[in-house]
Amino acid sequence: MNRVLDVPRELAEPAERGTLTVGHTVVRKVAQHAADQVPGTARDGKRGAKAKVGGLDNDVDLALDLALNYPAAVRAVVGDVRAKVVEEVELLTGYHVRTLAVTVSALLPDVPPRVR
């Protein structure tokens, strides 16, 4: 069964189309996912990066808490995380990242310890 959609041939003027609002919850999830994709970051148990979002209008302030693989070049990995998070948040949400604070809360070994 094929339904034909009733779509107008011309779009309405931009001011008449309505608005799109991206909530801070979406921004938080985008930031967390982007941070987890950077090589050198680690998952602390089942949890990856944790983000908090604030800000007004089109500017957001982000705070990330994440774990890194040990041994890691902390400064280099955090720099990569900053770049990736800013790029993804601005691309996908349209918000401008005003500030980004990163806290490295753990350094986790790549292999589990032999003794438990």
Side-chain angles (χ1 to χ4, degrees):
M1 181 173 194
N2 191 4
R3 291 180 48 183
V4 177
L5 298 176
D6 186 20
V7 179
R9 297 206 183 268
E10 295 180 24
L11 290 175
E13 293 298 318
E16 297 173 6
R17 291 184 202 161
T19 61
L20 172 65
T21 303
V22 178
H24 282 184
T25 302
V26 174
V27 175
R28 178 178 54 84
K29 290 184 180 190
V30 168
Q32 289 173 173
H33 180 73
D36 287 339
Q37 300 306 308
V38 175
T41 59
R43 297 185 75 78
D44 188 7
K46 294 180 182 178
R47 179 178 77 93
K50 190 175 178 182
K52 292 183 182 178
V53 180
L56 297 170
D57 298 327
N58 200 39
D59 294 327
V60 291
D61 300 310
L62 299 171
L64 284 174
D65 184 344
L66 52 91
L68 300 182
N69 290 325
Y70 177 81
V74 175
R75 187 175 291 182
V77 174
V78 169
D80 293 344
V81 166
R82 285 179 183 277
K84 180 72 170 177
V85 168
V86 168
E87 176 187 2
E88 291 292 313
V89 167
E90 290 183 350
L91 176 70
L92 296 176
T93 68
Y95 283 106
H96 169 69
V97 177
R98 183 172 50 186
T99 61
L100 174 56
V102 179
T103 301
V104 177
S105 59
L107 293 174
L108 304 174
D110 285 336
V111 293
R114 292 180 14 190
V115 178
R116 292 183 187 230

